[in-house]
């Protein structure tokens, strides 16, 4: 069975509200009821949503708006990478229509998890239309939604937000609660590029476990469109030194690398895995600081005492098999938490929060920024 039902392109391009219009009749919260649904709760809709479970475990929900097209959503049985999922949506649509351009339009924090919003411009016979998409990388209820009707961007945002906040998982096993989490939006100038999501957990063996996901979307026509997903899981001891870290980077269908760093008894680290299609095995001397350890040092040394911080970290995107020196110094006259972070040969201007975590970072031209949208709890 195809992932999406077929639709009439003419309806997409000409029917329904024009860009900028919205619904005249407010939507109401409607209970979603189905034994096939892995959740319970209510969403904004013009009538009862329909639920169907696919053989592959994906559950589809169709949400009526009182217009010619509903909002369609897919709930996945396993965690998703936002970039890969968005790319899958677009590839499925491309079998039927021509995309002129795709871009990320927004990032929201919904139910403490990042939601990436995208817009696709489609055309046929001189007519132009839009497809609105959302991918919610939520650990409890990962989902993707789309709307095939011209216009209604605010309605699409409201309905998808109601899905994320109005539905709760009925699974017996719940995700482990974090001691700290944040979502940051990535931009190049005014253009949204994606997000970075971080969660810190207490480790049973002591110390912390940090999980970080980064998704980037380079806007453009489908032939130039690039999706990138980076997943990191790092276990650090109570002093912030890395015990083990796994790193995976994917661009489109290509896995750039899968690496694992493991600390050895003498304090050095072993790196193993694959990078750029080749097997990798290397040894790094000396201890390596993790992200939580860097934050601890920035808080205790840079913020509280005003002294520079210099540490050795592992940054696979910069060098997969060698350590990277990181140096942090205050930026004079820019505020008490403003700093310059030199990572290898690159440099970032950053703002730190009270705990030493980077809440905003700005790179060199072309101006790429990373800025915190939300945070929960305290590390």
């Amino acid at each position: 069975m195809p992932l999406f039902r077929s639709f009439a392109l003419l309806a997409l391009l000409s029917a329904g509200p024009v860009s900028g219009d919205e619904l005249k009749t407010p939507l109401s919260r409607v209970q979603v009821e189905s034994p096939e649904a892995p959740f319970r709760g209510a969403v904004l809709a013009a009538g009862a949503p329909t639920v169907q479970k696919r053989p592959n475990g994906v559950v589809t929900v169709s949400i009526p708006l009182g217009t010619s097209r509903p909002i369609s959503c897919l709930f996945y049985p396993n965690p998703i990478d936002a970039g890969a999922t968005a790319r899958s949506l677009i590839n499925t649509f491309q079998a039927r229509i021509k995309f002129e351009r795709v871009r990320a339009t927004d990032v929201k924090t919904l139910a403490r998890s990042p939601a990436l919003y995208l817009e696709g411009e489609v055309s046929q016979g001189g007519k132009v239309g839009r497809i609105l998409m959302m991918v919610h990388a939520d650990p409890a209820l990962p989902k993707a939604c789309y709307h095939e009707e011209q216009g209604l961007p605010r309605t699409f945002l409201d309905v998808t937000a109601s899905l994320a906040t109005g539905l709760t998982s009925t699974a017996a096993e719940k995700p482990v609660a974090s001691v700290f989490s944040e979502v940051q939006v990535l931009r190049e100038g005014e253009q949204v590029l994606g997000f970075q999501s971080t969660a810190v957990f207490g480790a049973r063996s002591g110390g912390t476990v940090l999980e970080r996901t980064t998704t980037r979307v380079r806007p453009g026509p489908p032939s130039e469109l690039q999706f990138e997903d980076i997943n990191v899981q790092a276990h650090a001891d109570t002093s912030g030194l890395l015990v083990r870290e796994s790193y995976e980077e994917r661009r489109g269908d290509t896995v750039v690398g899968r690496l694992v760093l493991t600390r050895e008894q003498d304090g050095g680290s072993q790196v193993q895995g694959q990078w750029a299609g080749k097997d990798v095995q290397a040894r790094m001397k000396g201890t390596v600081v993790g992200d939580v350890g860097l934050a601890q040092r920035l808080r205790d040394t840079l913020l509280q005492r005003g002294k520079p911080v210099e540490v050795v970290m592992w940054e696979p995107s910069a060098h997969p098999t060698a350590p990277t020196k990181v140096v942090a110094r205050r930026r004079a006259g820019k505020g008490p938490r403003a700093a310059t972070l030199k990572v290898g040969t690159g440099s970032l201007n950053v703002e730190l929060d009270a705990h030493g975590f980077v809440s905003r970072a700005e790179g060199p031209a072309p101006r790429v920024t990373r800025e915190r949208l939300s945070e929960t709890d305290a590390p």
Side-chain angles (χ1 to χ4, degrees):
M1 181 182 294
L3 188 59
F4 301 97
R5 57 179 173 78
S6 62
F7 60 90
L9 180 60
L10 182 61
L12 168 65
L13 298 175
S14 60
V18 297
S19 179
D21 286 351
E22 291 291 344
L23 296 177
K24 306 302 181 186
T25 303
L27 300 174
S28 302
R29 290 200 171 271
V30 180
Q31 199 73 20
V32 182
E33 297 180 359
S34 172
E36 296 184 319
F39 48 75
R40 65 167 64 94
V43 301
L44 289 175
T50 58
V51 180
Q52 180 182 5
K53 188 172 184 179
R54 302 277 178 83
N56 60 0
V58 172
V59 172
T60 63
V61 180
S62 181
I63 303 166
L65 303 178
T67 62
S68 61
R69 298 282 172 184
I71 290 177
S72 300
C73 296
L74 301 98
F75 287 77
Y76 300 94
N78 300 305
I80 60 173
D81 287 331
T85 302
R87 187 172 182 272
S88 177
L89 287 178
I90 292 165
N91 286 347
T92 303
F93 282 123
Q94 279 184 300
R96 305 178 179 92
I97 59 177
K98 180 182 179 182
F99 274 78
E100 299 293 343
R101 183 178 174 84
V102 178
R103 66 187 182 100
T105 57
D106 207 350
V107 172
K108 299 288 186 184
T109 303
L110 302 176
R112 300 176 56 155
S113 302
L116 177 66
Y117 285 82
L118 304 103
E119 177 182 280
E121 298 176 8
V122 299
S123 67
Q124 182 169 328
K127 294 183 178 181
V128 178
R130 289 191 300 173
I131 293 177
L132 303 178
M133 294 164 279
M134 183 276 278
V135 180
H136 186 206
D138 181 55
L141 288 174
K143 66 187 77 66
C145 299
Y146 61 94
H147 192 215
E148 305 167 9
E149 191 168 45
Q150 176 78 320
L152 305 182
R154 191 178 70 244
T155 299
F156 184 73
L157 176 61
D158 291 345
V159 171
T160 52
S162 78
L163 276 165
T165 59
L167 300 178
T168 57
S169 172
T170 55
E173 186 175 349
K174 306 297 183 184
V176 177
S178 62
V179 297
F180 169 73
S181 66
E182 67 166 0
V183 175
Q184 299 193 353
V185 60
L186 309 178
R187 293 188 180 94
E188 184 173 349
E190 298 300 319
Q191 173 61 52
V192 173
L193 294 183
F195 65 82
Q196 178 175 284
S197 176
T198 303
V200 179
F201 306 85
R204 291 183 178 179
S205 57
T208 58
V209 173
L210 176 143
E211 294 182 355
R212 173 169 291 154
T213 298
T214 304
T215 291
R216 287 192 283 259
V217 181
R218 180 66 60 178
S223 60
E224 300 175 12
L225 197 64
Q226 186 180 88
F227 290 94
E228 182 181 66
D229 293 301
I230 298 175
N231 293 301
V232 173
Q233 185 178 77
H235 176 203
D237 62 20
T238 54
S239 64
L241 299 178
L242 276 182
V243 177
R244 186 182 187 277
E245 178 171 324
S246 62
Y247 179 96
E248 179 179 282
E249 181 174 336
R250 180 188 296 270
R251 294 176 190 163
D253 287 334
T254 302
V255 176
V256 176
R258 286 194 182 104
L259 299 172
V260 176
L261 176 147
T262 306
R263 189 170 76 192
E264 299 184 323
Q265 289 185 347
D266 63 359
S269 299
Q270 186 82 14
V271 177
Q272 293 180 305
Q274 295 80 39
W275 191 266
K278 297 180 180 179
D279 290 338
V280 169
Q281 185 167 345
R283 194 177 190 282
M284 298 192 303
K285 294 182 179 180
T287 55
V288 180
V289 174
D291 288 85
V292 173
L294 175 62
Q296 292 170 343
R297 288 156 176 77
L298 292 175
R299 178 195 62 200
D300 298 340
T301 303
L302 187 71
L303 295 183
Q304 295 183 9
R305 298 164 56 194
K307 294 186 177 181
V309 171
E310 182 174 321
V311 297
V312 172
M313 303 186 74
W314 185 47
E315 298 289 340
S317 58
H319 201 308
T321 59
T324 298
K325 185 167 77 170
V326 176
V327 181
R329 291 184 172 88
R330 276 189 167 173
R331 278 192 293 151
K334 299 297 183 180
R337 296 179 186 168
T340 298
L341 206 62
K342 187 175 181 182
V343 183
T345 59
S347 182
L348 298 171
N349 290 331
V350 301
E351 294 285 339
L352 304 175
D353 67 13
H355 309 289
F357 283 90
V358 175
S359 60
R360 188 181 189 279
E362 181 176 334
R367 188 168 63 89
V368 176
T369 60
R370 193 182 80 228
E371 189 167 14
R372 181 179 287 169
L373 287 178
S374 63
E375 64 174 307
T376 58
D377 310 314

